[in-house]
Amino acid sequence: MKLSDLEGDIDAPSEFLDRPVSQDLILELLNHAVWAPNDELREPWRFIYADNRYGDLMQGLQERAPAYLLVLVKEEADQHKREEDFAAVCCLIQNFRLLTHEQSLGVRCTLHDWMYDPSRTEMFGVRSNERIAAVLELGYGANQSKGNTTLSETELHFELL
């Protein structure tokens, strides 16, 4: 399969099945997803996984999902490194989403206000030199997409220097 074949078929599911998400599968996919570009191969990410065994830990913070993956990025003092590291984490998240699609695993990538409040993030083990880049809600979709055949052709424009 080519990546261009995924056009319109990688949307996040609106609902998840009540089916566990294997920690081993997530770890395996992350081991592939970390091949994201970063100067000096810094690997500025860390992950915190939570599933339904931890009860309602995410209740009121996130939509209900079988599992959650908090993607953390190290906050470097150097602004250039910090921006480069965040970009690398975003690439890692996209790699992960593409890999989960192969496994019929749905991902909703979320950003919420609580993620920027250290008093709320410390309960998850977020360190003072880190921040949450995104919370990924994980699960098997209740309504698996079969592809969107009604997508309109997007015309991109760019300027030549």
Side-chain angles (χ1 to χ4, degrees):
M1 174 194 317
K2 298 184 310 181
L3 283 177
S4 58
D5 293 340
L6 292 177
E7 185 177 310
D9 196 30
I10 198 163
D11 291 334
S14 57
E15 293 182 43
F16 292 118
L17 296 171
D18 188 19
R19 178 177 164 196
V21 176
S22 163
Q23 290 182 34
D24 291 336
L25 173 62
I26 298 305
L27 186 57
E28 177 185 336
L29 297 177
L30 283 172
N31 276 313
H32 294 291
V34 296
W35 290 95
N38 187 274
D39 192 31
E40 300 174 20
L41 305 175
R42 280 192 301 273
E43 298 186 1
W45 41 73
R46 191 167 71 90
F47 310 98
I48 298 173
Y49 180 83
D51 60 18
N52 287 334
R53 291 180 295 167
Y54 300 101
D56 293 329
L57 184 65
M58 302 298 275
Q59 185 175 9
L61 300 176
Q62 297 289 137
E63 294 293 323
R64 186 129 177 85
Y68 304 90
L69 185 68
L70 282 71
V71 182
L72 310 179
V73 60
K74 186 176 178 185
E75 291 280 72
E76 290 280 349
D78 180 285
Q79 181 70 24
H80 176 78
K81 286 181 180 180
R82 186 180 329 179
E83 289 181 12
E84 187 177 76
D85 289 348
F86 185 76
V89 168
C90 291
C91 290
L92 177 146
I93 291 169
Q94 182 63 9
N95 288 350
F96 182 76
R97 289 188 71 216
L98 292 168
L99 291 162
T100 59
H101 182 75
E102 289 180 352
Q103 302 296 319
S104 299
L105 185 63
V107 176
R108 289 190 303 234
C109 184
T110 65
L111 301 169
H112 294 288
D113 289 343
W114 70 266
M115 296 169 34
Y116 304 101
D117 181 355
S119 67
R120 296 179 93 178
T121 61
E122 68 185 6
M123 73 182 209
F124 295 104
V126 178
R127 300 174 187 144
S128 61
N129 68 337
E130 298 174 319
R131 72 179 181 103
I132 299 175
V135 175
L136 305 181
E137 298 171 346
L138 308 170
Y140 295 94
N143 48 354
Q144 289 292 341
S145 173
K146 298 295 186 224
N148 187 348
T149 58
T150 62
L151 284 178
S152 61
E153 189 69 28
T154 303
E155 190 173 326
L156 298 177
H157 301 279
F158 62 92
E159 295 179 24
L160 294 175
L161 295 177

